[in-house]
Amino acid sequence: MPEVSIEHIDFEELNRRAISQPLVKHIYTADPSAHVFNGKIYIYPSHDIEAGIPFDDLGSHFAMEDYHVISMDSVTSEAIDNGIALHVKDVPWAERQMWAPDAAHKEGKYYLYFPAKKSDNIFQIGVAVSDSPVGPFVAEPLPIEGSYSIDPAVFEDKDGSFYMYFGGLWGGQLQSYRNNQYSAENQEPQANEAALNPLVAKLRDDMLGFAEAPKEVLILDENGNPLLAGDTERRFFEASWMHFYQGKYYFSYSTGDTHFLCYATGDNPYGPFTYQGRILNPVVGWTTHHSICEVDGKWYLFYHDSSLSEGVTHLRSVKVTEITYDVDGKIQTIEPYS
Ligand code: FUB
């Protein structure tokens, strides 16, 4: 799938055909991680800015500096921007690129998990704590030991255990790791080799660190074989998310350079997961990143596109649309522009 060319897009027409509109328009927001805490919707997005950094394959132009939490009483009510929840200048270990975050709630405390680059140019994942779901959050002095790469997504299982899924290719540096060890020599596998997978680690009871070394999350095809690196329309690239629906664990993710949101299902939080299909077809803008959240008995996809900025790939806007499952639990593929 070639990258969407913005030269021939009539954005007025596209916005008319869009199945949903940006939740907020006064700032650019992306990578929405949505949760219902105490009956209210909280969205933890990236806060996109124009930093004037040239475009490259490492995503240097995604030069975000802070996070704002968006809250809503329902999916159709006004989305409220609660201001700066955490700024990179208040994170002792982080230097730049505050990418896709997520949050969790346990025993009256709220935990914001976020990736950022350190001064050595390596991404790690940190945590910051607040008494309020909208912050301000206070960052721990060091990143989470054993964490690496980007895109943390934190899932609470039925028994109250929390798991963090993470990892992302290219700018997210996942290709530089094998067995949780970094080497700049490591590269993406060849097309006929098994694809790189995201990671999962159970969180400690205090929510501030991993209880175990990260494990690979296997994504298999319909024959039980690992997806191959050359299978770019199905293999994992970035943007992990986990939700539980009718007895199954749904692991969803972005295919990155082919621009699909896909999902795979399994029987437990560690997998393996079997590829099932696409959730969302490509949106305007290079990246696609989402969360799936149940609100008042219905299921919603929170996602982003670059329609408000007329195709500027690092200036995105968060949107929401309902998802539907068929009787077998298959998610119907959503076409973002009707
Ligand atoms: O927002 C920066 C990066 O773009 C995220 O970490 C990726 O998932 C992609 O959406």
Side-chain angles (χ1 to χ4, degrees):
M1 162 85 42
E3 189 172 337
V4 183
S5 158
I6 60 168
E7 275 153 38
H8 309 296
I9 296 179
D10 172 348
F11 281 97
E12 225 169 85
E13 171 63 12
L14 179 107
N15 284 328
R16 259 198 303 278
R17 290 196 289 115
I19 56 166
S20 47
Q21 296 301 318
L23 292 181
V24 293
K25 292 188 172 174
H26 66 293
I27 55 172
Y28 289 109
T29 55
D31 311 322
S33 292
H35 295 272
V36 174
F37 294 142
N38 304 319
K40 201 167 163 157
I41 305 166
Y42 294 94
I43 306 167
Y44 298 84
S46 301
H47 173 202
D48 284 355
I49 52 168
E50 180 50 82
I53 294 175
F55 194 104
D56 65 24
D57 269 353
L58 297 180
S60 307
H61 47 301
F62 293 94
M64 298 85 102
E65 294 177 350
D66 63 15
Y67 297 111
H68 289 222
V69 182
I70 307 293
S71 54
M72 299 172 84
D73 289 328
S74 73
V75 285
T76 51
S77 67
E78 191 190 353
I80 307 293
D81 171 5
N82 294 278
I84 296 178
L86 180 69
H87 195 283
V88 68
K89 69 176 167 39
D90 298 318
V91 183
W93 59 269
E95 192 179 273
R96 65 186 190 284
Q97 287 176 286
M98 302 283 266
W99 283 14
D102 192 15
H105 175 214
K106 184 180 175 185
E107 292 162 4
K109 294 266 183 219
Y110 296 85
Y111 299 87
L112 181 71
Y113 298 92
F114 58 96
K117 259 189 197 161
K118 300 175 296 179
S119 54
D120 61 2
N121 281 327
I122 305 236
F123 268 113
Q124 259 194 284
I125 295 168
V127 56
V129 188
S130 176
D131 292 327
S132 161
V134 298
F137 289 87
V138 177
E140 289 293 292
L142 294 171
I144 293 174
E145 198 182 335
S147 71
Y148 54 93
S149 194
I150 58 164
D151 289 359
V154 175
F155 168 73
E156 182 178 5
D157 202 7
K158 298 180 298 276
D159 65 358
S161 307
F162 287 84
Y163 297 85
M164 182 190 290
Y165 298 84
F166 62 94
L169 289 172
W170 298 11
Q173 305 174 338
L174 184 62
Q175 65 280 3
S176 300
Y177 290 84
R178 295 293 184 280
N179 300 318
N180 298 329
Q181 297 300 318
Y182 177 87
S183 164
E185 309 289 296
N186 289 331
Q187 304 287 329
E188 273 187 274
Q190 298 296 313
N192 60 354
E193 295 175 334
L196 291 176
N197 285 305
L199 286 307
V200 59
K202 194 173 190 170
L203 293 182
R204 292 196 314 243
D205 280 349
D206 69 3
M207 302 292 276
L208 302 178
F210 291 162
E212 60 187 3
K215 298 173 166 60
E216 250 193 274
V217 176
L218 269 184
I219 307 175
L220 308 175
D221 67 13
E222 60 284 6
N223 301 313
N225 299 315
L227 292 181
L228 298 181
D231 191 352
T232 56
E233 295 200 351
R234 298 195 296 176
R235 63 90 171 88
F236 172 81
F237 189 97
E238 61 186 2
S240 295
W241 189 257
M242 173 63 74
H243 75 281
F244 184 77
Y245 175 77
Q246 294 196 348
K248 286 241 173 269
Y249 292 83
Y250 285 63
F251 178 78
S252 47
Y253 58 96
S254 164
T255 62
D257 54 344
T258 52
H259 318 287
F260 296 109
L261 288 180
C262 293
Y263 74 107
T265 57
D267 296 326
N268 71 80
Y270 291 106
F273 298 95
T274 303
Y275 179 87
Q276 299 294 337
R278 293 177 186 162
I279 301 172
L280 183 70
N281 277 331
V283 294
V284 172
W286 198 94
T287 68
T288 187
H289 188 131
H290 70 300
S291 61
I292 293 172
C293 182
E294 186 179 16
V295 186
D296 295 332
K298 290 186 173 177
W299 287 88
Y300 293 91
L301 178 75
F302 292 79
Y303 66 106
H304 67 228
D305 75 4
S306 296
S307 56
L308 183 64
S309 67
E310 303 204 336
V312 181
T313 219
H314 56 286
L315 296 178
R316 302 160 290 179
S317 299
V318 167
K319 299 179 158 189
V320 60
T321 191
E322 193 175 342
I323 60 173
T324 43
Y325 301 85
D326 72 13
V327 281
D328 300 322
K330 282 241 174 202
I331 296 176
Q332 278 181 13
T333 307
I334 296 165
E335 196 53 64
Y337 314 98
S338 61

